[in-house]
Amino acid sequence: DTAVSQTPKYLVTQMGNDKSIKCEQNLGHDTMYWYKQDSKKFLKIMFSYNNKELIINETVPNRFSPKSPDKAHLNLHINSLELGDSAVYFCASSHGTANQPQHFGDGTRLSIL
Amino acid sequence: AQSVAQPEDQVNVAEGNPLTVKCTYSVSGNPYLFWYVQYPNRGLQFLLKYITGDNLVKGSYGFEAEFNKSQTSFHLKKPSALVSDSALYFCAVREPGGGADGLTFGKGTHLIIQP
């Protein structure tokens, strides 16, 4: 059983479109995250969210927005996609304290044409 | 602000030899340190962490890491490398008061184990 699952695995779309990536975790964690991995494999936190607060990395454009219907889900919505948004996006989850490891999904490879 | 440095883009080791993947960090206060491994087209897998206590921590797949406060390092080690250890390794740091903050990752080190 997959602990953190993302859909779709691959997403190919055109510039200017709006798209969403879904993430679900079945680990009972209370905190979820979105990371972006660029073509050089560099990983950067985009958002972290629990039922109390949303923390946004200040470098993330406001075209990106996380939406959490419940504690087990954190979806990523992207408006007006740009070429530079091409990357692999990883969802992760953990218990909310800083000393707990995060569990990652297998990623969504987003390609903008 | 917290940061992590992995000075080697790639480390090559012969199978059966010991391996070391280097990591240094910068954080205010005491750090929480993590190592993750990424195989091609997969997400990151947790290997081990240092929170407090014994400076030598043991993790998955025979890996261990040594926390050195004076050198602000947290190098990943394994006594005898396997070809299957070949992957991309990330060191990460988090501040104790981080709460819901994400991890700050190093740029990753490609580990190549040669048969």
Side-chain angles (χ1 to χ4, degrees), chain A residues 10-26:
Chain A
Y10 300 96
L11 183 54
V12 181
T13 189
Q14 292 188 330
M15 238 177 10
N17 285 351
D18 303 337
K19 290 294 179 184
S20 295
I21 307 172
K22 294 185 177 181
C23 178
E24 176 182 7
Q25 55 94 7
N26 62 4

Side-chain angles (χ1 to χ4, degrees), chain A residues 9 31 33 35 37 40-43 45 48 50 53 55 90 94 96-102 104-106 109, chain B residues 32 34 36 38 41-44 46 49 51 88 90 94-96 98-103 105-107 110:
Chain A
K9 190 172 178 67
T31 304
Y33 313 82
Y35 288 87
Q37 187 174 45
K40 295 184 178 179
K41 304 295 186 183
F42 186 67
L43 273 159
I45 181 71
S48 60
N50 63 20
E53 62 179 333
I55 298 177
F90 287 99
S94 74
T97 53
N99 63 1
Q100 296 301 312
Q102 295 177 14
F104 285 76
D106 281 340
R109 184 174 296 275
Chain B
Y32 293 155
F34 303 82
Y36 285 82
Q38 185 179 25
N41 299 315
R42 298 299 303 277
L44 278 70
F46 169 71
K49 67 178 181 180
I51 303 302
L88 182 59
F90 289 96
R94 205 174 184 187
E95 293 184 0
D101 292 351
L103 292 163
F105 286 92
K107 63 180 174 62
H110 289 274

Side-chain angles (χ1 to χ4, degrees), chain A:
Chain A
D1 291 339
T2 304
V4 180
S5 60
Q6 299 178 225
T7 54
K9 190 172 178 67
Y10 300 96
L11 183 54
V12 181
T13 189
Q14 292 188 330
M15 238 177 10
N17 285 351
D18 303 337
K19 290 294 179 184
S20 295
I21 307 172
K22 294 185 177 181
C23 178
E24 176 182 7
Q25 55 94 7
N26 62 4
L27 297 167
H29 290 159
D30 58 4
T31 304
M32 297 183 72
Y33 313 82
W34 279 103
Y35 288 87
K36 179 180 180 179
Q37 187 174 45
D38 64 22
S39 59
K40 295 184 178 179
K41 304 295 186 183
F42 186 67
L43 273 159
K44 196 167 187 179
I45 181 71
M46 299 177 70
F47 304 99
S48 60
Y49 182 79
N50 63 20
N51 58 358
K52 296 177 182 177
E53 62 179 333
L54 170 66
I55 298 177
I56 303 171
N57 185 309
E58 60 186 11
T59 66
V60 175
N62 57 14
R63 298 181 293 104
F64 291 78
S65 57
K67 289 191 170 48
S68 180
D70 54 59
K71 286 175 63 174
H73 297 84
L74 184 67
N75 304 324
L76 182 65
H77 296 266
I78 316 170
N79 294 324
S80 303
L81 280 158
E82 300 178 356
L83 288 175
D85 297 333
S86 295
V88 182
Y89 293 85
F90 287 99
C91 177
S93 71
S94 74
H95 291 296
T97 53
N99 63 1
Q100 296 301 312
Q102 295 177 14
H103 297 254
F104 285 76
D106 281 340
T108 296
R109 184 174 296 275
L110 174 62
S111 300
I112 310 301
L113 303 178

Side-chain angles (χ1 to χ4, degrees), chain B residues 4 19 48 64 73 79 83 90 104 106 112:
Chain B
V4 176
L19 69 87
L48 50 80
E64 58 190 29
S73 67
V83 172
F90 289 96
T104 297
I112 299 175

